[in-house]
């Protein structure tokens, strides 16, 4: 007979793991203790089912507190109903307690031993006599009613019915066999020693499962290795498994699916878990798929596939996933988000993220100190470990257990080791994701881990594309596998432990010989390599970023590194003349380049990004502009460059940074024809006099000429430029604009000095954002234009006076004035004084109309230029939206509204 249970309260998430007994036996001692119940107890124990029986022959009528706890600590209660069962108040109290525990997921099975279940349900015969006797004795109608209700409820639960025409031994064996077969898949799973943070995540996934609905639901749980996917899946299983006709939790599917035998074993385990038949043999994978579909199609099942990394694994276990009966639930855990996407809208997904600061603190301390709080003198050390783990439960667990009971010097030494030599157990789990990548994807992962963590996605894609690594498809795969993330600013980010793992993979290429590794990121390794001139063609990338300025005599050190693709050098000084750089370079990041020229034979054909800001470069560098792949050029703060050479051979440049090139006089005419150029920075090029005569730049989005005081004339605009949205021209020496200035039809932000306004200018008619840098009064024509607009405006006023064209003015924290009966469109400007030591301030503004706040959104942000402490505010933005459909409640006594 099938085991039938009712739906309990699934909020009792982790009570299962602390159960002391598999089975609790409730019985009337004088009736069955020395016969049936004793035989049942022995048979259960022989089968390995941990069973509780009360051997107190006196069988006192008052149930003890210890017995209550024993009932609570059991997975299943078996109630042996004999004809005198109800005469025992202790048995009836046990029964009430058992049914209370049933509401908290405990399984209950009755045995009707020579008793008709209808006699108990209707409370006739001996059971009616017993209850009548109790009513007369106790004069407590409420207590007796609880017993009546309990008897009625349990009589309706499916159980076993023993009659004298049965052979008792065979009957007992049937009970034991059914419990034995059900034990493996009805017993809850061990979740975690300290299940910190599990409950909230399990509840969130339960909402996606929507257990109450009768349709089929599938949920995919994905996340980084070691983040707790399996642990959470086990917790969910324990919360809901009893609600299904069949259930199966298949662990470690990736490892077990490596052979056909392993897949067949998984299929047989699935069938056994749900059907309870140990003798089912699959034989082959295809036959196993058919057997699963045919055998389980009519059952409401819970199936959890844990550790899936290929769609094929799911298909071999669940077929096409179209056979499930109504109410079934399927959960898949994986490290690969993209694998889940193949199910389309038929599957909901949940990303498991690391523990928050509070959760990480608690979990680590439980393992390290066996309590929620660390020892007082270990607090700072504990916090260092927690920061190192970055919320990864696997790391917190392993490091906490490793440090438990150790003294402070050992902690400090271990901390240093964690930072430099990753824990092998943590690495073993994390490396599984790396091993699932193909060759180019592994190279992309290692390049990001060693050099590009925190860089712009587009920037990295452009560089790695020329390395034949196919990053356009490769990086999304890393993201899908939770190895890399992209933030809101489109920057690549890699979890610290993953970065550490990637770098350790490279270190293991040659643990004691850095020259034989593919990538060098630790500055001492790179420094030793250059000082000792021990390069090799194995090296593809070097990052030498010294924390302090260092001096190295460079000459031919790079001659042995023919395959060097990526070179990053910061804080290095040298004298003399550099004679060689590899032409295979794709990325050259050398701010403060100490030489006046590049090597004569350096002519890279695949260079993508060049950063030589603050360098001493002044001659012999035009050869780097012969690369068609060049996209990013940064010569900012290069004080020795006087003329930018011909760039026509580098037509794909996207960003050109020439800020603070204070001796730059002329920009070659070819720059005006760079159709791919998007951002062009010329801030504070104080000697710049000659720009290209004509701008024909389809993609230019931002041009900044702020501080170009020697520049008198703006170039001609030969065709409409739709992309140029931001143009900053104040302060400059420009006093003349071409008549074609109106071709800048895409302008959204224009910053001009006040003396430039007037009909000579030819402003485009629909500039939605107009910035005016001025500390004198504004031209009345422009004032009218701003007040009549419908969009937002940016007005930058670095001076101390408010322009007189503002109708209402106030210095202080508030301003109020009256407006007419009709709520108008109006402009509001707020200026804020700021101190030196800040980077990003947000301000809150309240507006009240008739003492009521309308729906109002205000965003204020100030951006700081730390390079110029005398003029720290370089840009100020204000955005405010008011819901004018219902700005305030109607005034009771007047039609005016006060602002």
């Amino acid at each position: 007979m099938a085991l039938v249970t009712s739906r309990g309260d699934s909020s009792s998430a982790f009570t299962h793991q602390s159960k002391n007994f598999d089975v609790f036996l409730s019985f009337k001692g004088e009736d069955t203790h020395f016969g049936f119940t004793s035989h049942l107890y022995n048979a259960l124990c022989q089968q390995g089912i941990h069973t509780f029986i009360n051997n107190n022959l006196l069988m006192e009528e008052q149930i003890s507190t210890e017995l209550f706890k024993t009932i609570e600590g059991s997975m299943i209660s078996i109630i042996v109903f004999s004809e005198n069962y109800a005469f025992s108040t202790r048995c009836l109290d046990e029964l009430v307690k058992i049914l209370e525990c049933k509401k908290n997921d405990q399984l209950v099975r009755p045995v009707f031993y020579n008793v008709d279940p209808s006699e108990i349900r209707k409370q006739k015969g001996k059971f009616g006599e017993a209850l009548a006797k109790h009513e007369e004795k106790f004069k407590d109608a409420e207590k007796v009613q609880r017993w009546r209700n309990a008897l009625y409820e349990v009589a309706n639960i499916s159980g076993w019915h023993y009659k004298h025409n049965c052979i008792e031994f065979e009957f007992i064996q049937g009970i034991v066999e059914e419990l034995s077969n059900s034990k493996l898949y009805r017993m809850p799973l061990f979740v975690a020693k300290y299940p910190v943070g599990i409950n909230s995540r399990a509840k969130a996934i339960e909402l996606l499962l929507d257990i109450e609905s009768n349709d089929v639901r599938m949920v995919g749980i994905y996340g980084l290795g070691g983040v707790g996917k399996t642990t959470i899946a086990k917790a969910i299983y324990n919360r809901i498994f009893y609600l299904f006709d069949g259930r199966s939790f298949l662990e470690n599917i990736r490892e077990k699916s490596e052979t056909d035998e392993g897949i067949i074993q998984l299929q047989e385990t699935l069938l056994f878990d749900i059907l309870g038949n140990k003798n089912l043999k699959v034989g082959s994978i295809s036959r196993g798929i058919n057997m699963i579909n045919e055998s389980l199609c009519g059952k409401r099942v819970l199936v959890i596939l844990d550790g899936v990394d290929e769609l094929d694994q799911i298909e071999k276990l669940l077929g096409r996933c179209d056979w499930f009966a109504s109410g079934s639930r399927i959960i898949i855990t994986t490290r690969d988000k993209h694998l889940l996407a193949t199910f389309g809208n038929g599957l909901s997904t949940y990303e498991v993220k690391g523990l928050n600061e509070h959760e990480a603190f608690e979990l680590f301390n439980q393992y390290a100190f066996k309590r929620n709080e660390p020892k007082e003198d270990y607090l700072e050390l504990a916090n260092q470990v927690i920061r190192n783990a970055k919320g990864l439960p696997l790391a917190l667990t392993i490091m906490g257990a490793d440090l438990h009971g150790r003294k402070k010097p050992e902690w400090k030494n271990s901390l240093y080791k964690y930072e430099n030599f990753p824990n092998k157990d943590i690495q073993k789990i994390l490396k599984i994701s790396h091993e699932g990548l193909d060759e180019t994807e592994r190279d992309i992962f290692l390049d990001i881990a060693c050099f590009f963590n925190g860089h712009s996605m587009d920037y990295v894609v452009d560089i790695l594309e020329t390395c034949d690594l196919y990053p356009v498809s490769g990086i999304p795969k890393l993201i899908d596998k939770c190895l890399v993330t992209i933030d809101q600013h489109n920057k690549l980010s890699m979890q610290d432990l993953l970065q550490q793992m990637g770098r350790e993979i490279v270190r293991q290429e040659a643990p004691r010989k850095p020259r034989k590794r593919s990538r060098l990121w630790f500055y001492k390794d790179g420094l030793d390599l250059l000082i000792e001139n021990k390069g090799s063609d194995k090296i593809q990338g070097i990052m030498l970023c010294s924390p302090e300025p260092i001096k190295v005599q460079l000459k031919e050190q790079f001659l042995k590194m023919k395959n060097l693709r990526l070179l990053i050098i910061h804080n290095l000084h040298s004298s003399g003349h550099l004679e060689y750089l590899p032409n295979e370079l794709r990325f050259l990041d050398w701010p403060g380049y100490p030489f006046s020229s590049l090597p004569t034979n350096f002519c890279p054909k695949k260079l993508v990004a060049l950063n030589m800001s603050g360098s001493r470069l002044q001659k012999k560098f035009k050869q780097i502009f012969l690369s068609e792949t060049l996209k990013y050029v940064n010569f900012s703060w290069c004080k020795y460059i006087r003329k930018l050479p011909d760039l026509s051979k580098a037509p794909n440049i996207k960003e050109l940074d020439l800020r603070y090139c204070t001796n730059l006089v002329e920009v070659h005419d070819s720059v005006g024809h760079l159709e791919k150029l998007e951002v062009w920075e010329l801030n504070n090029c104080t000697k710049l006099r000659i720009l290209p005569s004509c701008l024909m730049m389809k993609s230019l989005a931002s041009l900044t000429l702020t501080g170009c005081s020697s520049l008198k004339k703006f170039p001609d605009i030969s065709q409409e430029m739709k992309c140029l949205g931001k143009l900053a021209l104040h302060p400059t020496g420009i006093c003349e604009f071409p008549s074609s200035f109106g071709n800048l039809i895409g302008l959204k932000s224009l910053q001009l000095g006040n003396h430039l306004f007037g009909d000579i200018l030819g402003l485009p008619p629909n500039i939605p954002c107009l910035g005016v840098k001025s500390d004198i009064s504004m031209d009345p024509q422009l004032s009218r234009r701003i007040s009549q607009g419908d969009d937002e405006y940016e007005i930058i006023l670095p001076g101390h006076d408010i322009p007189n064209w503002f109708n209402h003015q106030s210095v202080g924290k508030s301003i109020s004035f009256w407006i007419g009966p009709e709520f108008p469109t109006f402009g509001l400007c707020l200026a804020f004084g700021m101190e030196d030591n800040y980077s990003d301030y947000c301000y809150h503004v309240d507006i009240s109309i008739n003492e009521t706040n309308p729906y109002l959104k205000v965003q204020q942000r100030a951006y700081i230029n730390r390079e110029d402490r005398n003029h720290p505010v370089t840009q100020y933005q204000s955005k405010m939206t008011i819901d004018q459909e219902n700005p305030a409640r109607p005034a009771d006594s007047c039609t005016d509204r006060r602002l």
Side-chain angles (χ1 to χ4, degrees):
M1 188 176 292
L3 184 61
V4 179
T5 65
S6 67
R7 293 192 178 192
D9 180 5
S10 62
S11 64
S12 56
F14 304 109
T15 56
H16 300 295
Q17 27 184 327
S18 60
K19 299 299 184 185
N20 299 317
F21 291 94
D22 296 336
V23 174
F24 175 87
L25 291 176
S26 176
F27 60 97
K28 180 77 168 76
E30 293 88 341
D31 285 0
T32 64
H33 184 270
F34 296 106
F36 175 82
T37 302
S38 180
H39 298 156
L40 175 61
Y41 170 76
N42 289 330
L44 290 170
C45 291
Q46 287 175 7
Q47 193 64 25
I49 299 174
H50 191 35
T51 306
F52 176 84
I53 187 171
N54 191 341
N55 284 315
N56 186 348
L57 296 181
L58 296 176
M59 302 296 280
E60 65 275 4
E61 283 298 292
Q62 291 296 322
I63 187 169
S64 65
T65 303
E66 290 74 17
L67 200 59
F68 271 138
K69 291 181 178 179
T70 302
I71 295 171
E72 291 172 353
S74 300
M75 272 301 303
I76 303 173
S77 283
I78 295 179
I79 306 156
V80 181
F81 284 113
S82 55
E83 63 176 1
N84 294 312
Y85 184 91
F87 284 100
S88 168
T89 58
R90 179 197 54 77
C91 285
L92 293 173
D93 285 340
E94 273 183 13
L95 178 62
V96 170
K97 180 63 178 178
I98 287 168
L99 292 178
E100 286 178 6
C101 293
K102 177 176 177 287
K103 296 177 181 178
N104 292 323
D105 305 346
Q106 189 175 106
L107 304 178
V108 177
R109 290 296 301 271
V111 174
F112 304 104
Y113 186 75
N114 288 324
V115 172
D116 193 320
S118 65
E119 185 178 332
I120 302 172
R121 187 183 308 112
K122 297 176 181 179
Q123 291 159 23
K124 302 292 185 181
K126 292 276 189 174
F127 284 83
E129 284 181 36
L131 291 168
K133 181 179 178 181
H134 294 323
E135 284 177 337
E136 182 180 347
K137 177 180 179 180
F138 292 106
K139 308 296 183 183
D140 186 347
E142 184 177 344
K143 183 182 184 72
V144 176
Q145 188 60 43
R146 284 199 300 272
W147 291 339
R148 288 185 181 277
N149 294 342
L151 287 166
Y152 178 81
E153 180 180 346
V154 78
N156 285 290
I157 296 176
S158 177
W160 299 280
H161 192 179
Y162 175 78
K163 300 177 182 178
H164 281 300
N165 59 355
C166 298
I167 298 175
E168 186 173 291
F169 172 78
E170 292 179 354
F171 180 79
I172 289 174
Q173 286 303 309
I175 295 174
V176 173
E177 184 176 346
E178 186 173 336
L179 288 178
S180 179
N181 287 340
S182 69
K183 179 184 176 184
L184 294 177
Y185 63 90
R186 289 197 180 276
M187 290 295 289
L189 305 170
F190 174 76
V191 176
K193 186 176 182 179
Y194 303 110
V196 178
I198 301 300
N199 200 20
S200 61
R201 291 160 176 82
K203 284 184 177 180
I205 296 169
E206 271 194 81
L207 292 176
L208 297 176
L209 290 168
D210 191 9
I211 300 298
E212 298 300 323
S213 69
N214 201 36
D215 56 354
V216 176
R217 294 288 175 99
M218 299 179 68
V219 173
I221 304 172
Y222 70 96
L224 176 66
V227 79
K229 300 182 296 298
T230 301
T231 305
I232 294 168
K234 288 179 179 178
I236 295 168
Y237 177 90
N238 287 352
R239 294 166 72 100
I240 65 175
F241 76 90
Y242 62 93
L243 301 174
F244 298 86
D245 299 334
R247 74 288 302 154
S248 179
F249 191 109
L250 298 179
E251 256 186 295
N252 302 320
I253 287 178
R254 182 189 66 85
E255 293 91 336
K256 293 176 182 177
S257 297
E258 292 178 353
T259 64
D260 287 353
E261 290 77 10
I263 295 169
I264 290 171
Q265 184 181 10
L266 285 169
Q267 291 176 330
E268 290 177 346
T269 301
L270 176 61
L271 288 166
F272 169 67
D273 284 351
I274 294 178
L275 300 178
N277 188 342
K278 295 180 180 179
N279 299 318
L280 275 176
K281 296 298 178 184
V282 166
S284 68
I285 293 174
S286 58
R287 185 166 182 268
I289 295 172
N290 289 335
M291 289 177 65
I292 290 169
N293 289 354
E294 293 170 4
S295 303
L296 310 184
C297 63
K299 293 182 178 291
R300 183 174 183 268
V301 299
L302 168 66
V303 178
I304 299 180
L305 306 183
D306 176 59
V308 174
D309 67 349
E310 292 181 10
L311 183 62
D312 182 60
Q313 296 161 359
I314 300 173
E315 293 173 344
K316 288 175 179 176
L317 292 170
L318 303 181
R320 296 191 306 273
C321 300
D322 58 357
W323 55 265
F324 302 111
S326 297
S328 294
R329 295 295 182 266
I330 311 302
I331 298 174
I332 299 168
T333 76
T334 181
R335 301 184 184 198
D336 189 348
K337 180 183 179 182
H338 184 262
L339 181 146
L340 302 175
T342 58
F343 290 91
N345 296 329
L347 177 141
S348 301
T349 60
Y350 180 88
E351 180 182 6
V352 181
K353 297 183 178 179
L355 301 180
N356 63 35
E357 185 177 349
H358 174 76
E359 293 167 336
F361 188 76
E362 180 182 350
L363 181 61
F364 174 77
N365 290 328
Q366 288 286 2
Y367 277 94
F369 303 104
K370 306 303 178 185
R371 60 185 189 182
N372 289 338
E373 298 288 332
K375 295 178 181 177
E376 186 173 345
D377 55 340
Y378 281 76
L379 178 60
E380 181 53 39
L381 289 170
N383 283 332
Q384 287 184 48
V385 180
I386 293 167
R387 286 193 294 269
N388 183 277
K390 298 297 179 183
L392 193 69
L394 171 73
L396 291 162
T397 299
I398 290 174
M399 291 190 288
D402 182 48
L403 292 169
H404 174 66
R406 299 187 186 278
K407 297 180 180 179
K408 288 175 72 173
E410 295 176 84
W411 273 63
K412 292 177 181 178
N413 190 260
S414 295
L415 273 169
Y416 178 80
K417 185 178 178 181
Y418 292 150
E419 292 173 0
N420 293 279
F421 299 95
N423 180 281
K424 61 180 177 59
D425 295 321
I426 299 173
Q427 296 297 298
K428 181 180 178 181
I429 300 298
L430 295 179
K431 280 181 69 175
I432 292 172
S433 296
H434 177 263
E435 290 165 357
L437 303 173
D438 66 25
E439 185 177 351
T440 59
E441 291 161 3
R442 292 184 186 186
D443 278 332
I444 293 171
F445 174 80
L446 296 179
D447 278 347
I448 295 173
C450 294
F451 307 119
F452 293 124
N453 192 4
H455 281 66
S456 163
M457 166 82 159
D458 295 337
Y459 189 70
V460 176
V461 166
D462 285 339
I463 293 169
L464 298 186
E465 190 72 21
T466 60
C467 300
D468 299 323
L469 295 180
Y470 311 102
V472 174
S473 60
I475 291 179
K477 288 186 179 179
L478 299 184
I479 295 170
D480 287 338
K481 292 181 180 294
C482 304
L483 292 171
V484 174
T485 59
I486 298 182
D487 67 13
Q488 66 272 27
H489 304 296
N490 201 38
K491 289 188 176 180
L492 292 170
S493 178
M494 183 178 286
Q495 210 262 10
D496 287 3
L497 290 173
L498 282 173
Q499 182 177 38
Q500 199 176 37
M501 181 263 286
R503 292 180 169 183
E504 179 63 13
I505 289 172
V506 175
R507 195 185 72 84
Q508 289 297 329
E509 293 173 353
R512 300 191 180 278
K513 295 183 178 180
R515 64 186 296 269
K516 292 189 176 182
R517 299 177 197 159
S518 61
R519 298 159 181 87
L520 301 178
W521 67 90
F522 185 45
Y523 82 94
K524 287 186 177 179
D525 290 338
L527 185 60
D528 291 344
L529 197 77
L530 295 181
I531 291 174
E532 299 174 14
N533 195 8
K534 289 186 176 179
S536 77
D537 58 5
K538 299 281 187 184
I539 301 172
Q540 300 177 36
I542 294 176
M543 182 167 68
L544 198 169
C545 297
S546 171
E548 301 291 337
I550 53 175
K551 189 168 184 178
V552 179
Q553 198 69 22
L554 296 178
K555 189 174 182 181
E556 296 181 342
Q557 278 88 336
F558 296 103
L559 191 59
K560 298 177 182 179
M561 305 181 219
K562 303 287 188 182
N563 296 316
L564 191 66
R565 300 180 289 120
L566 313 168
L567 179 58
I568 305 166
I569 296 180
H570 292 194
N571 232 354
L572 182 144
H573 300 282
S574 185
S575 58
H577 178 67
L578 182 65
E579 295 188 0
Y580 180 82
L581 279 173
N583 284 330
E584 287 298 308
L585 281 175
R586 274 74 161 178
F587 179 47
L588 178 56
D589 183 12
W590 197 335
Y593 179 77
F595 308 105
S596 61
S597 64
L598 291 167
T600 306
N601 59 355
F602 180 54
C603 189
K605 297 298 184 182
K606 298 179 182 179
L607 189 66
V608 177
L610 173 70
N611 175 19
M612 287 193 162
S613 61
S615 74
R616 298 181 61 85
L617 205 62
Q618 56 182 298
K619 57 184 179 179
K620 293 183 180 179
F621 62 89
K622 61 186 284 186
Q623 70 266 36
I624 59 175
F625 293 114
L626 299 177
S627 172
E628 288 192 6
T629 58
L630 190 61
K631 294 186 177 182
Y632 304 92
V633 178
N634 186 348
F635 280 146
S636 62
W637 297 90
C638 291
K639 299 181 179 180
Y640 299 97
I641 295 178
R642 295 182 54 82
K643 181 178 179 180
L644 198 67
D646 185 351
L647 304 189
S648 60
K649 300 295 185 182
N652 293 305
I653 293 177
K654 293 167 62 174
E655 295 181 11
L656 180 58
D657 191 345
L658 301 169
R659 292 173 297 158
Y660 288 90
C661 289
T662 51
N663 284 299
L664 179 65
V665 174
E666 179 181 354
V667 174
H668 193 273
D669 211 54
S670 61
V671 177
H673 297 266
L674 293 176
E675 294 188 347
K676 301 291 182 65
L677 188 62
E678 298 173 5
V679 179
W680 189 7
E681 299 282 355
L682 286 158
N683 312 28
N684 295 291
C685 293
T686 53
K687 292 185 180 179
L688 179 63
R689 292 188 292 106
I690 304 172
L691 285 176
S693 58
C694 180
L695 299 185
M696 300 177 62
M697 308 164 93
K698 293 180 182 179
S699 306
L700 189 63
S702 175
L703 171 59
T704 306
L705 293 165
T706 303
C708 295
S709 52
S710 299
L711 189 63
K712 305 300 182 185
K713 183 180 179 181
F714 194 83
D716 186 41
I717 313 296
S718 65
Q719 60 189 29
E720 289 186 347
M721 292 178 64
K722 298 179 181 180
C723 292
L724 185 57
K726 178 183 177 183
L727 178 59
L729 300 173
H730 177 79
T732 66
I734 294 177
C735 57
E736 182 181 352
F737 285 87
S739 59
S740 59
F741 194 80
N743 282 335
L744 301 178
I745 61 174
L747 277 179
K748 295 180 180 178
S749 176
L750 174 61
Q751 297 180 7
L752 295 168
N754 188 74
H755 66 288
L756 297 175
F757 288 103
D759 295 334
I760 68 166
L761 184 57
L763 281 173
N766 297 308
I767 303 178
C769 183
L770 183 62
V772 180
K773 283 194 173 183
S774 176
D775 46 15
I776 59 175
S777 61
M778 185 179 290
D779 184 283
Q781 178 183 351
L782 182 61
S783 172
R784 286 194 300 274
R785 183 165 163 195
I786 288 179
S787 64
Q788 292 172 1
D790 292 329
D791 297 292
E792 61 185 83
Y793 293 91
E794 179 182 11
I795 301 173
I796 302 174
L797 302 165
H800 298 287
D801 298 324
I802 301 173
N804 58 16
W805 51 270
F806 278 100
N807 295 337
H808 305 281
Q809 304 182 16
S810 174
V811 177
K813 294 184 178 179
S814 65
I815 184 173
S816 64
F817 52 86
W818 293 93
I819 59 178
E822 295 298 326
F823 194 85
T825 297
F826 68 92
L828 177 64
C829 178
L830 303 100
F832 298 86
M834 288 167 273
E835 300 175 357
D836 286 344
N837 296 322
Y838 64 89
S839 61
D840 193 354
Y841 277 147
C842 291
Y843 301 91
H844 178 70
V845 179
D846 285 323
I847 290 182
S848 63
I849 302 169
N850 284 355
E851 300 181 354
T852 302
N853 287 335
Y855 177 69
L856 172 66
K857 291 191 291 186
V858 180
Q859 298 173 356
Q860 307 288 344
R861 195 169 291 276
Y863 297 91
I864 311 311
N865 180 3
R866 295 188 176 277
E867 297 167 349
D868 186 356
R869 301 305 302 173
N870 295 324
H871 299 87
V873 180
T874 60
Q875 185 178 1
Y876 169 76
Q877 292 183 345
S878 170
K879 181 179 180 181
M880 178 166 54
T881 305
I882 298 179
D883 181 359
Q884 297 188 17
E885 293 181 1
N886 184 22
R889 65 183 182 223
D892 295 331
S893 58
C894 67
T895 57
D896 286 347
R897 296 190 175 108
R898 184 169 182 136
L899 177 65

